[in-house]
Each structure stands twice: as structure tokens, then as C-alpha cells.
Amino acid sequence: MIPYQIIEKKSLGLTLSESEIRTFIMGYSSGTIPDYQMSALLMAIFINGMTVEETLDLTRVMLESGNRMDFSAAPGFVADKHSTGGVGDKVSILLAPILAVLGIHVPMISGRGLGHSGGTLDKLESIPGFNVNLELKEWEDLVVHEGLGLIGQTGTICPADKKIYALRDVTATVRSIPLISASIMSKKIAEGIRGLVLDVKTGNGAFMQTLADSRKLANSLVSIGKGYGIRTTALITDMSQPLGFAIGNWFEMEESVKGLQGQGPEDLMAVTYALGAEILKMAHPELSQEGAVAMQKKTVADGSAFEKLKRITELQGGDSRVLDDLDKYSKAKFQKTIKSSKSGYLAGIDTMALGFAGIQLGAGRKMISDKIDFSSGIYMHCKLGDKIEIADDLLTLYCEDETKLSAVADQISAGFSFTETTPELPPLIVERIV
Ligand code: URA
């Protein structure tokens, strides 16, 4: 079959064979199939879905587009954490060094911004000089000797996901269980890990907005992981408001640093510790939940997790001085604070709109070739359930281009809703899927 026929088959809702998926993905990865045909196939998958078998085939082919690491020589448990994506989700930046300090080896392959959601690689690159494109050997050495290396997909590890991911980011083909499953799991299996915890976000800032869809995604991810012999658990966690207060690359780095210095927002730290506990209990089956959380808190209290983040930053070419002195970082030129025109208890936030607002301000890409403005973003002044008075600050927008501020402000102001009595809030950790 030629690419046209494969696209047409999926657009008609039919099931693709392994060899059709392989022909297409390998062709795209090697450059013989162009972006416009891949985009068409992605949209056909997005609309018509894939069977479990097709999803497994897609994952395997994307994995086999590159190498699979072997960390069996690492002197400890090799494991990772990955999120399905949300707004203000900077957990990886906190959790990776915490786990490394606690003897876990974390070969973390992350992604860039995707749709409305931010990406760990973009956040790390907001640190001047930070190199997420290490040579494989350099990364391997960091993981074995330092317990942590932070990279993106490369030309040799998940090259298919590297290209497809960038395309999905700008073609509205993200919210698809098979595409998310294959994207995440091809990367995680390629890492050569033995344990994995997945943070499956649910709510209006997540790709899966209902609990039923989030469960489906969690089950898909967990069953693929287990099929490859990886101990995999998923926590479904709340994304009906941004995690923490900061949205945007440097803002999120800053909040992560504060978190590792013991001044992190409550929700961010709770999700971080809950995910970390899953990995620590895999590595040490005798550990209790409380024990696993206490170990992590200690790495924050004694400064060792922050020191690890700084050391990895330096080893990956980054200037760790900005982490020590956050005020040194150059700020966005313009800012605008949105004030409340209503009073009451904050009962709803249009979280996805905030993610897209961040992109409009320069914190994400509208086209593959766009350059990110690391200092733009949004700082929230409120959380769901807060008592708000008229004229209270809701959030501040930061941007290098003053003309964007008013348009963005108009778009997101309507996304706040209020009640007269305290609203019922969703739990932060909604469910555990094993
Ligand atoms: N993270 C990924 O790596 N891929 C997705 O599709 C979504 C989140």
C-alpha cells in the first residue's frame, strides 16, 4: 500500500495491520513520508481511534525506530515518572532529583510543550546553557554515576516520537488515547527502566477531561508497561486547576526550585511525593507510604535534592547560578494583572484556556519552528475554593510583547466562576491504577 491508501484506510475507520503501521512510521521517521501525510494519518487516528492491537503495534514500531537502553549495570533500581500533560505541571523537575538522591537511577526522556500543556524540556532549557540533547554516552554516564540524566527524544532514541510529537503539538492531534499511549510508552520502554509511575491528569486542563477517559488512558499505559516487563502504576491526579501557581517555562523552573527549597505550593508537593512514593515502594517493598513520603521530604529539608538539581544542571551545561539567585533571571518586559469583577468562592477555572493563553504570550509554539520566550507566562494568585472579593487579583500575565496582553486577558477573564458557598473540590489524587 502507498501512504495515500493507508491514510484512507484509517480515515474510513478500518484497522491497520502491523506492516502498514510500520511502513508509515518508519517512512516518516526516515524522511520518505512528508509532514502533510503524517498529519493526515494522525488526524484519522485522532478521529477514529485504534484497537488495542493497533496501539501495541504503534508503540512497538515507534520504539523500534531507535535503540533501547540497557541500564542493567546501574548500581540501583532504574525507574522513571511521566505525566500525560497538564498546566503548570512541573513535577518531573522536582521528583527526578529527589529520586536520584534516594538511590534511584532516573533515565528521564521528556517532551516539549504539547498542545496546551507545557513540556519538561522547554522548562529545563529556560536555564541558560542547559543541554537536553546530550550524546547517548554522556547521558548514560550521568544516569549510572549521578542517578539522573534529563534528555529529549534523539535521532537514535525514539526518533519517530521526536518527529510525531512535534507535529501533534501544532495539529490538534494530541487528545487521543492510542497516540498518547504510543508516544509515552515508546519513550519509557526505550529507557530500559524497571519501574514506572505515570501521572494521568484528569479535569479541564488535561487531555482526558473525564474520569472515565482518564481511566481508559491509565489502563492503556499500565498494560503496555506491564507487557514489556516494567513494574508500572498510574495515579490519576486532578487537573481542574493549574498545579501550583506558575505557568510558563522559567516561572515553572522558579517554582520548582522553591519547591526543592521547602517553599513549594501544597498541591505540587503532595502530587510529587505521592508519585515518588510509588517508585520508592517498588524499589523497597518493605517501605510504608508514610516512610516513602518522609524520605522524600528529608531530601528537600536537608537541601540534597536542590543540590542534585544544581549538579545535574552544571553537568548538562546549564548555569546553576540562576537557580541559586532566582532574581538574576531577566524578567518579561510587560505584565498585566487580571482582577476579579465578582465576589464569592472560586469554583471553576478554565484551565485549558490558561494553557493556550501561555502559548499566545510566547511560552509555547504555534508552529514547529517557533522560538519560545522563556520568561513569558502566567502567575496565578488564587486556587479553587478561595474566597475572592471584587478587585482581588486573580492572575498576572507576563510577556515581551505588550500588544498581546489585552487580547489574552479578554480571552481568559471569563474562565473564572464563583459560588456563594464553599464549592466541593475534587481530590488531588483521584485514583491509583495498577
Ligand atoms: N507525554 C508524551 O510524551 N506524549 C504524549 O502524547 C502526551 C504526554
Side-chain angles (χ1 to χ4, degrees):
M1 274 198 184
I2 62 169
Y4 180 100
Q5 291 171 294
I6 297 174
I7 297 167
E8 186 168 65
K9 190 170 174 187
K10 191 73 268 185
S11 71
L12 294 171
L14 302 174
T15 301
L16 300 180
S17 68
E18 207 257 2
S19 97
E20 287 158 353
I21 293 173
R22 188 172 291 278
T23 304
F24 212 103
I25 300 298
M26 291 305 187
Y28 182 59
S29 187
S30 65
T32 57
I33 289 182
D35 282 352
Y36 53 82
Q37 286 184 317
M38 189 71 228
S39 302
L41 181 66
L42 289 171
M43 190 53 84
I45 295 172
F46 177 82
I47 291 168
N48 290 319
M50 277 184 143
T51 63
V52 170
E53 202 56 42
E54 283 177 297
T55 306
L56 283 172
D57 289 343
L58 181 63
T59 308
R60 189 179 331 102
V61 170
M62 286 173 63
L63 169 67
E64 289 172 8
S65 70
N67 299 329
R68 196 166 162 185
M69 300 302 293
D70 176 5
F71 280 111
S72 50
F77 191 61
V78 183
D80 195 9
K81 167 264 166 194
H82 201 92
S83 164
T84 58
V87 179
D89 178 5
K90 66 259 326 154
V91 169
S92 292
I93 295 164
L94 292 116
L95 188 54
I98 290 175
L99 290 175
V101 166
L102 294 173
I104 308 293
H105 294 261
V106 188
M108 189 176 272
I109 304 178
S110 305
R112 298 194 176 278
L114 189 63
H116 71 285
S117 126
T120 302
L121 298 181
D122 295 330
K123 293 168 201 178
L124 291 171
E125 282 184 345
S126 71
I127 302 172
F130 199 108
N131 180 12
V132 296
N133 301 306
L134 298 178
E135 291 300 323
L136 217 54
K137 181 76 180 89
E138 280 178 275
W139 176 57
E140 213 177 330
D141 285 349
L142 281 183
V143 173
V144 172
H145 302 299
E146 295 291 335
L148 174 60
L150 299 157
I151 61 164
Q153 314 94 318
T154 74
T156 50
I157 297 240
C158 289
D161 185 57
K162 186 179 170 81
K163 285 184 79 178
I164 294 171
Y165 191 102
L167 205 54
R168 288 171 62 220
D169 176 35
V170 291
T171 55
T173 49
V174 181
R175 293 157 75 166
S176 150
I177 290 178
L179 294 178
I180 297 176
S181 299
S183 167
I184 293 181
M185 295 313 294
S186 60
K187 287 194 286 287
K188 300 300 108 176
I189 299 160
E191 289 174 352
I193 50 179
R194 289 173 51 214
L196 174 64
V197 63
L198 295 153
D199 185 2
V200 177
K201 298 291 185 196
T202 195
N204 68 2
F207 293 121
M208 297 297 128
Q209 305 213 334
T210 64
L211 183 54
D213 282 345
S214 305
R215 272 192 196 125
K216 275 189 210 152
L217 176 58
N219 281 312
S220 168
L221 295 164
V222 168
S223 69
I224 296 172
K226 286 184 178 165
Y228 278 84
I230 300 171
R231 293 183 59 189
T232 311
T233 63
L235 296 185
I236 298 180
T237 69
D238 181 51
M239 187 34 72
S240 55
Q241 60 180 327
L243 196 57
F245 295 96
I247 306 166
N249 299 292
W250 173 251
F251 282 125
E252 295 195 39
M253 259 330 293
E254 204 175 48
E255 191 165 77
S256 304
V257 166
K258 288 184 182 159
L260 290 178
Q261 291 174 332
Q263 299 148 33
E266 220 175 286
D267 58 347
L268 173 64
M269 300 316 292
V271 173
T272 302
Y273 294 142
L275 291 161
E278 294 294 321
I279 295 288
L280 291 169
K281 287 189 295 178
M282 286 179 200
H284 309 287
E286 73 289 352
L287 254 187
S288 65
Q289 178 73 14
E290 297 69 34
V293 170
M295 281 168 82
Q296 296 176 79
K297 286 187 172 170
K298 186 164 175 297
T299 70
V300 170
D302 66 16
S304 55
F306 179 50
E307 285 306 314
K308 177 61 82 175
L309 178 69
K310 284 200 299 179
R311 180 161 170 79
I312 296 299
T313 296
E314 283 158 19
L315 292 170
Q316 295 202 210
D319 183 353
S320 68
R321 288 172 304 179
V322 289
L323 304 181
D324 266 326
D325 187 354
L326 297 168
D327 291 336
K328 271 212 166 75
Y329 205 83
S330 64
K331 303 281 174 297
K333 280 204 204 77
F334 303 102
Q335 64 183 69
K336 182 179 178 74
T337 296
I338 299 181
K339 293 180 179 290
S340 184
S341 56
K342 297 185 182 145
S343 65
Y345 291 94
L346 185 58
I349 297 176
D350 186 343
T351 316
M352 189 168 285
L354 294 178
F356 283 120
I359 296 176
Q360 280 179 268
L361 294 170
R365 299 173 186 79
K366 291 184 219 145
M367 291 195 299
I368 290 181
S369 54
D370 282 352
K371 292 270 166 294
I372 284 189
D373 168 13
F374 292 123
S375 60
S376 69
I378 300 172
Y379 196 84
M380 305 291 300
H381 301 297
C382 54
K383 297 296 280 185
L384 290 179
D386 285 356
K387 179 89 177 70
I388 306 283
E389 302 298 339
I390 289 175
D392 277 357
D393 291 352
L394 294 178
L395 56 84
T396 303
L397 307 174
Y398 294 84
C399 187
E400 287 298 321
D401 176 354
E402 194 172 18
T403 62
K404 290 181 180 165
L405 290 174
S406 298
V408 171
D410 288 348
Q411 283 165 28
I412 57 180
S413 298
F416 291 81
S417 58
F418 300 87
T419 49
E420 279 176 16
T421 53
T422 326
E424 201 178 312
L425 300 180
L428 194 54
I429 314 289
V430 183
E431 217 164 276
R432 179 170 183 266
I433 308 263
V434 288

